Structure formats: structure tokens, C-alpha cells
Amino acid sequence: MTSIAKLLGVSRSTLYSALPGLVPAQRDDQAALQDRLTQIPPDARPGLPTVEQSDQLATRPDGQGAVSR
């Protein structure tokens, strides 16, 4: 905030007093939250990682498991 005030040539208190007037009023109700949540696209990331690939590496070809030394 200090950097912005310096760039604009005003004091921090001036910015803090002007900031509420610059931000549009927001509804603080549950309906507004639900409206915003429905606008979020669905998660397209793959599921949780599995250990299947690592399990194959830890198994010997004869199926007896990894050798510990």
C-alpha cells in the first residue's frame, strides 16, 4: 500500500479512506456465494496419484518382492 501511495503521490491514509468508494458494494448473503460458486468451472485435474507404477518397480521379476540389503 505504501508503494502505491508513493506512486500516486498521496498518503496511505488517503488511499485507505478512498478505497471503500472504489470497490463496488458486495452482497454478504448465502445466495451471492452460491452464485459465485456456480460460475467456477469444474475441476479438470486428474485424480489423486497412485502407487501402482512404484509397486511394479519394487517387485522382482520372480514375484518375491524387493531385496533389502
Side-chain angles (χ1 to χ4, degrees):
M1 197 60 123
T2 303
S3 300
I4 296 170
K6 285 181 182 178
L7 287 172
L8 296 174
V10 297
S11 68
R12 286 184 308 160
S13 62
T14 302
L15 283 182
Y16 283 117
S17 63
L19 193 58
L22 298 175
V23 177
Q26 298 179 356
R27 297 185 332 201
D28 288 332
D29 56 41
Q30 194 68 14
L33 175 61
Q34 288 303 321
D35 290 343
R36 302 277 314 258
L37 290 176
T38 57
Q39 295 172 4
I40 298 173
D43 190 4
R45 295 177 293 181
L48 294 173
T50 63
V51 294
E52 291 174 11
Q53 225 173 9
S54 300
D55 283 348
Q56 292 173 2
L57 296 174
T59 306
R60 292 186 357 197
D62 60 6
Q64 293 182 0
V67 177
S68 59
R69 297 177 194 224

